Amino acid sequence: MSSAVPFCVPPLTEGVPEAVAKVLDGRWLTTGPDTAAFEQEFADLLGAAHVVAVASCTSALELSLRAMGLPPGSPVLTPSLTFCGAINAILHAGHRPVFADIDEETLVPSPETVAAAAARVKPAAMVTQNQGGYPVDVPALAAAAGLDRSRVVEDTAHGPGAARGGAPVGSASYAACFSFYATKNMPIGEGGAVATSDEEFADRVRAMRLHGMSKDSWKRYLPGGSWRYDVKDIGLKANMTDVQATIGRAQIRSLPGWQQTRAELVARYDEALAGVPGVVLPQRGRLDDVQHAWHLYQVRVPDRDAVGDEMREAGVGTSVHFIPAHQLSAYRSVLGADECGNLPVTDRVGEELLSLPLYPGLTADGQDRVVAALTEALRTRA
């Protein structure tokens, strides 16, 4: 059955169809001038020195790890409470995930859990994650892992919009990887980006997103260009197209307003759900200088699967973020039982998380229906 209140409805800026039609009329559909313009505009939004647009956040993560030049099979710290694509990126880059447990309040690893994981296996790198839009303290986690910042890849798929200490996520990162998937805060449909403060690293990722070629098609076929190129690194086919980029350029304009709407919806959820028996409200962190992106509104409830099923029967869409990676059969097979055990907080919290609808087009009536459906589902279990 279709949901009266779907889990997500991607917002679309006015003028997107016309912008796409202009690109189509120009007949240059792959990586070209619109991609370059999008990279600069997104870098300006973040306050980042360099942005490289790619095919997805997953490819951004893999390219970042490849561009670091780690020895094959290097151990890479990561949370298990993450999307499977983040784990696949580590494996496809030729490395081995090492799971760190999470903090119950923030749903991300703490310096203590990172230090414990690093004590088991000395890591060569780390992939952090901004669960639900909560910006992690990258310097503290890097220090706990014994790593330089140039060995930290930030999975910021649940941004942009987050900030810590007044600095937007990605503004000073060595490698911050963003997602523009259809459900994200700034949806394009598909696509991702790497933001970095390091020009040499940006140049390497830029080449590696298109097989490692020294020149892309746009540069080869410009007036005076040459077909000749070199391949210095083994890369991927992971470039963004100008069709995607022109959608992104339009969506950037609307992002600040969408973020304000998300914050207002979160405040309304907080007020409506405060005191409802059985509900643990989403993570806030412990610092006043944290600006949450609110990509997700994740509550914790008992009997999560049944609650979600009952809400769906009431016409309300929900989701789960995420099934912990160490519980999934492929990773248990590849990594073995030792690496997939001893994550008690992840195991317990992972059984309770339920993501409620949160998107700019969610109406007050729709939000009331979500609250009523959740309250009723919990009432029947009291």
Side-chain angles (χ1 to χ4, degrees), residues 3 34 45 85 91-92 94 97 108 131 137 166 177 183 187 212 219 277 282 306 332-333 342 347 356 371:
S3 297
D34 270 275
L45 176 76
L91 291 167
H92 284 307
V108 298
Q131 176 69 233
D137 187 342
C177 301
T183 61
K219 292 178 181 177
R332 294 186 68 83
S333 175
N342 198 29
D347 282 327
L356 305 184
V371 171

Side-chain angles (χ1 to χ4, degrees), residues 31 52-60 63 178-181 188-194 209 236-241 244:
T31 308
V52 182
V54 295
S56 67
C57 186
T58 303
S59 58
L63 286 166
F178 291 87
S179 173
F180 309 121
Y181 182 64
I188 291 176
E190 295 288 353
V194 180
R209 71 179 171 181
L236 307 175
K237 181 65 169 71
N239 56 307
M240 179 179 280
T241 71
Q244 294 169 292

Side-chain angles (χ1 to χ4, degrees), residues 155-246:
D155 180 349
T156 55
H158 292 180
R164 178 176 278 267
V169 166
S171 60
S173 303
Y174 187 78
C177 301
F178 291 87
S179 173
F180 309 121
Y181 182 64
T183 61
K184 295 300 188 287
N185 290 29
M186 198 183 86
I188 291 176
E190 295 288 353
V194 180
T196 178
S197 59
D198 189 284
E199 184 175 8
E200 184 178 348
F201 182 79
D203 289 342
R204 193 171 186 191
V205 172
R206 186 170 286 110
M208 291 178 71
R209 71 179 171 181
L210 196 61
H211 303 300
M213 297 168 67
S214 58
K215 289 187 290 187
D216 60 26
S217 296
W218 178 251
K219 292 178 181 177
R220 296 202 307 275
Y221 294 111
L222 281 172
S226 169
W227 55 267
R228 191 174 296 280
Y229 58 85
D230 190 16
V231 174
K232 297 181 180 179
D233 290 299
I234 306 301
L236 307 175
K237 181 65 169 71
N239 56 307
M240 179 179 280
T241 71
D242 270 16
V243 175
Q244 294 169 292
T246 198

Side-chain angles (χ1 to χ4, degrees), residues 16-376:
V16 164
E18 292 79 8
V20 171
K22 185 176 180 180
V23 171
L24 297 177
D25 288 343
R27 295 296 192 272
W28 190 269
L29 307 184
T30 187
T31 308
D34 270 275
T35 302
F38 171 74
E39 290 173 335
Q40 185 59 59
E41 291 165 14
F42 193 57
D44 292 343
L45 176 76
L46 300 176
H50 309 280
V51 162
V52 182
V54 295
S56 67
C57 186
T58 303
S59 58
L61 294 166
E62 182 177 348
L63 286 166
S64 295
L65 289 166
R66 286 174 175 267
M68 286 179 175
L70 305 173
S74 292
V76 178
L77 289 181
T78 183
S80 176
L81 189 67
T82 189
F83 183 54
C84 60
I87 309 302
N88 288 345
I90 297 172
L91 291 167
H92 284 307
H95 306 308
R96 185 176 182 84
V98 176
F99 295 124
D101 209 355
I102 60 171
D103 175 87
E104 187 165 349
E105 183 178 348
T106 62
L107 305 184
V108 298
S110 66
E112 293 75 19
T113 64
V114 165
R120 301 198 319 269
V121 179
K122 182 175 174 56
M126 176 168 56
V127 176
T128 64
Q129 197 227 13
N130 294 352
Q131 176 69 233
Y134 174 80
V136 300
D137 187 342
V138 174
L141 296 185
L147 294 170
D148 184 79
R149 64 184 290 271
S150 64
R151 291 295 177 263
V152 178
V153 179
E154 300 173 41
D155 180 349
T156 55
H158 292 180
R164 178 176 278 267
V169 166
S171 60
S173 303
Y174 187 78
C177 301
F178 291 87
S179 173
F180 309 121
Y181 182 64
T183 61
K184 295 300 188 287
N185 290 29
M186 198 183 86
I188 291 176
E190 295 288 353
V194 180
T196 178
S197 59
D198 189 284
E199 184 175 8
E200 184 178 348
F201 182 79
D203 289 342
R204 193 171 186 191
V205 172
R206 186 170 286 110
M208 291 178 71
R209 71 179 171 181
L210 196 61
H211 303 300
M213 297 168 67
S214 58
K215 289 187 290 187
D216 60 26
S217 296
W218 178 251
K219 292 178 181 177
R220 296 202 307 275
Y221 294 111
L222 281 172
S226 169
W227 55 267
R228 191 174 296 280
Y229 58 85
D230 190 16
V231 174
K232 297 181 180 179
D233 290 299
I234 306 301
L236 307 175
K237 181 65 169 71
N239 56 307
M240 179 179 280
T241 71
D242 270 16
V243 175
Q244 294 169 292
T246 198
I247 297 173
R249 296 181 68 188
Q251 299 288 71
I252 285 175
R253 299 195 301 269
S254 297
L255 182 63
W258 290 339
Q259 289 301 112
Q260 179 60 38
T261 300
R262 284 178 178 274
E264 293 167 358
L265 290 167
V266 166
R268 198 164 185 274
Y269 267 140
D270 286 348
E271 182 179 5
L273 293 173
V276 174
V279 177
V280 177
L281 296 183
Q283 72 276 20
R284 294 301 194 285
R286 303 184 179 93
L287 301 175
D288 293 334
D289 64 352
V290 168
Q291 180 178 318
H292 205 297
W294 291 119
H295 169 58
L296 299 172
Y297 193 87
Q298 296 167 286
V299 296
R300 290 167 55 190
V301 295
D303 202 9
R304 186 267 318 280
D305 291 1
V307 168
D309 289 345
E310 191 166 323
M311 292 181 70
R312 184 177 65 251
E313 290 300 316
V316 173
T318 62
S319 191
V320 171
H321 298 85
F322 298 94
I323 302 172
H326 73 279
Q327 298 176 3
L328 300 174
S329 58
Y331 307 126
R332 294 186 68 83
S333 175
V334 169
L335 300 176
D338 288 345
E339 187 50 53
C340 291
N342 198 29
L343 298 168
V345 180
T346 300
D347 282 327
R348 176 164 46 81
V349 171
E351 293 296 319
E352 300 171 347
L353 288 171
L354 184 69
S355 298
L356 305 184
L358 180 64
Y359 49 90
L362 182 61
T363 65
D365 287 345
Q367 203 170 15
D368 288 343
R369 185 162 182 172
V370 175
V371 171
L374 176 58
T375 302
E376 177 60 20

